[in-house]
Amino acid sequence: MTAPDRLVAGRYRLRERIGGGGMGAVWLARDELLGRDVAVKQVIPPATADEAAAEQQRERAMREGRIAARLSHPHAISVYDVAVENGQPWLVMEYLPSRSLSEVLAEDGLLREDQAAQVGAQVADALAATHAAGIVHRDVKPSNVLIGQGGRVEGLVKITDFGISHASGDVTLTQTGQITGTPAYLSPEVAQGYEPGPAADVFSLASTLYTCLEGEPPFGMAGNSLQQLHRVAAGSIAPPRQSGRLTAPLMRMLAVDPRDRPSMAEVRDELAAIAARGGDTTEVLTARTDVASTRPATALPAPVPIRSAAPSGPRTAVEPR
């Protein structure tokens, strides 16, 4: 049984469950060796999973730890350790008291243009470093962008959840015909079943910022996940109407052909310049966002749950969660 006060791997004292990811539950815990709070992801195989599927999920969790441990960036959640207890991996991560962007949008309403530009520039800065390390995030979306709350972390922007990331040179764990990611934020090539590259993260970041400004993703939220997937694969987006100076960069990032999209470093520089309004772009990348002070506006609907679907035709399988 997993419950508050359980000691994991002789070191991490569970305090309370604070969320869930694609692979299991996330707990706030106390690292009793170093005396600091951490977030611990408990990997829980589905009740219907056989031993082979459970073992694949354990391998995937270990891979997540290896991938994330390569990264060190002020706008990315750090992974400290992969603890193993009774054969079950637990990912030990930096704990950031925060709300996700999806929670901000649901509770406070849409972002201002300058807020979206700054948040986007900071996330792009982390993702540019991720791509430079040979890693594709593969699941950039509002619920994976955190905005710090309270004290010294107020307004701190960080991207999290590298659980379906892929690093070049790693063994790929696949199941033919399945794709992973939230349909509304996928790029067209990923929806068609092709292997995602850095350009897919560019598209997903654009979809995230589009949602922050327009109130829904570029392909809308109507219908079920399979219907959304078909719309994404077709690549026909609704041009933004409320994005102001971000309209042109968003349209470039949302190009159907991944070869026509800017690099993540170019995205970072352009968004930082827009947010700086002629000022110091370096300050834009390090300053805290004032997203928490967004005035109330029309709230967004709850995020669409992740579903898997099989694209038609012979494609390269995209790794499942």
Side-chain angles (χ1 to χ4, degrees), residues 253-319:
M253 295 167 69
L254 292 169
V256 174
D257 189 332
R259 295 170 295 185
D260 293 334
R261 297 173 205 150
S263 69
M264 194 63 79
E266 291 170 330
V267 168
R268 173 198 61 207
D269 294 344
E270 185 168 16
L271 294 179
I274 291 173
R277 295 181 178 270
D280 185 358
T281 57
T282 302
E283 184 176 341
V284 167
L285 294 175
T286 57
R288 303 299 175 87
T289 179
D290 68 345
V291 161
S293 66
T294 304
R295 60 181 177 80
T298 303
L300 297 181
V304 175
I306 296 176
R307 302 278 180 87
S308 293
S312 59
R315 304 289 190 184
T316 302
V318 180
E319 183 174 344

Side-chain angles (χ1 to χ4, degrees), residues 87-100:
Q88 181 185 47
W90 297 69
L91 300 179
V92 182
M93 302 172 289
E94 171 188 2
Y95 170 62
L96 179 68
S98 60
R99 288 190 298 168
S100 69

Side-chain angles (χ1 to χ4, degrees), residues 7-172:
L7 188 64
V8 174
R11 176 172 175 177
Y12 304 106
R13 181 78 62 184
L14 303 185
R15 293 169 56 185
E16 62 177 307
R17 180 169 171 160
I18 56 176
M23 294 191 299
V26 180
W27 291 79
L28 171 61
R30 186 72 175 172
D31 181 342
E32 297 196 336
L33 178 62
L34 297 181
R36 65 180 176 184
D37 288 340
V38 293
V40 181
K41 180 185 285 188
Q42 177 190 18
V43 180
I44 306 175
T48 56
D50 57 23
E51 182 53 37
E55 178 59 27
Q56 185 182 63
Q57 191 171 43
R58 286 191 287 268
E59 289 182 36
R60 195 154 57 241
M62 299 297 289
R63 183 174 56 89
E64 175 180 353
R66 290 196 302 269
I67 289 173
R70 299 184 193 183
L71 305 175
S72 178
H73 192 278
H75 295 301
I77 290 291
S78 298
V79 171
Y80 298 142
D81 188 16
V82 182
V84 179
E85 182 176 82
N86 298 325
Q88 181 185 47
W90 297 69
L91 300 179
V92 182
M93 302 172 289
E94 171 188 2
Y95 170 62
L96 179 68
S98 60
R99 288 190 298 168
S100 69
L101 257 186
S102 60
E103 291 172 317
V104 169
L105 295 173
E107 294 167 6
D108 298 346
L110 306 181
L111 302 192
R112 302 190 311 263
E113 176 189 311
D114 61 305
Q115 291 175 320
Q118 183 187 18
V119 169
Q122 293 184 352
V123 172
D125 195 28
L127 290 172
T130 300
H131 294 168
I135 300 166
V136 180
H137 187 283
R138 306 172 78 148
D139 200 21
V140 180
K141 58 187 178 183
S143 61
N144 280 340
V145 177
L146 306 181
I147 310 295
Q149 281 193 300
R152 61 184 180 82
V153 301
E154 182 70 29
L156 180 60
V157 176
K158 295 207 177 211
I159 186 165
T160 188
D161 202 351
F162 288 82
I164 59 172
S165 302
H166 174 66
S168 57
D170 279 3
V171 175
T172 302

Side-chain angles (χ1 to χ4, degrees), residues 179 181-184 186 221-232 304-309:
I179 68 170
T182 303
L186 290 178
M221 298 289 285
N224 60 36
S225 295
L226 185 58
Q227 290 170 324
Q228 286 185 353
L229 195 66
H230 283 302
R231 287 200 303 273
V232 175
V304 175
I306 296 176
R307 302 278 180 87
S308 293

